[in-house]
Amino acid sequence: QVQLVESGGGLVQPGGSLRLSCTASGSIFSINTMRWYRQAPGNKRELVAAITSGGSTNYADSVKGRFTISRDNAKNTVYLQMNSLKPGDTAVYYCNADIRPDSSWDHYDAWGQGTQVTVSS
């Protein structure tokens, strides 16, 4: 019942920047951790960044210092600011959210459809 909609992907040159957004809608009481994953053809899906409901963040070593994850709880939205992009960042980026649909302690993972990020000259 929860839908995650992503935007902001595209084609950029090395050294450029992109800002990804992901908004959750539907039956949502609250959202625990939100994450960004990415997957290139032939590779496993890897965790890029995570942010808890309280704002604590974690990053993959490959993006640390270049990417920043943030969230707006009032808008049920998570962002990924990507700076100093490299060709190795090329992948489909997926939004993930740990959803609490009601005031009980039950929760489940929801996924976005993915958005393509291509870094190339």
Side-chain angles (χ1 to χ4, degrees):
Q1 192 171 358
V2 169
Q3 183 179 10
L4 273 56
V5 178
E6 300 171 321
S7 63
L11 173 65
V12 297
Q13 294 185 338
S17 297
L18 283 174
R19 179 178 168 90
L20 306 183
S21 300
C22 172
T23 298
S25 61
S27 297
I28 300 172
F29 177 76
S30 65
I31 304 177
N32 297 322
T33 300
M34 304 184 81
R35 304 174 180 88
W36 287 97
Y37 288 80
R38 67 186 183 188
Q39 186 171 21
N43 292 351
K44 287 180 55 71
R45 187 172 300 183
E46 65 171 339
L47 178 64
V48 176
I51 183 167
T52 69
S53 60
S56 297
T57 59
N58 285 296
Y59 298 93
D61 288 342
S62 59
V63 308
K64 195 170 299 181
R66 300 186 297 121
F67 291 9
T68 302
I69 188 171
S70 61
R71 65 189 288 170
D72 186 334
N73 291 331
K75 297 180 179 180
N76 289 330
T77 297
V78 63
Y79 306 94
L80 187 66
Q81 178 66 47
M82 304 185 294
N83 298 326
S84 302
L85 283 162
K86 306 174 180 179
D89 297 319
T90 296
V92 178
Y93 283 70
Y94 296 92
C95 174
N96 166 265
D98 185 14
I99 302 293
R100 291 180 63 196
D102 53 41
S103 61
S104 76
W105 295 107
D106 294 334
H107 60 99
Y108 66 93
D109 276 353
W111 291 87
Q113 79 287 352
T115 184
Q116 177 70 48
V117 172
T118 302
V119 185
S120 176
S121 298

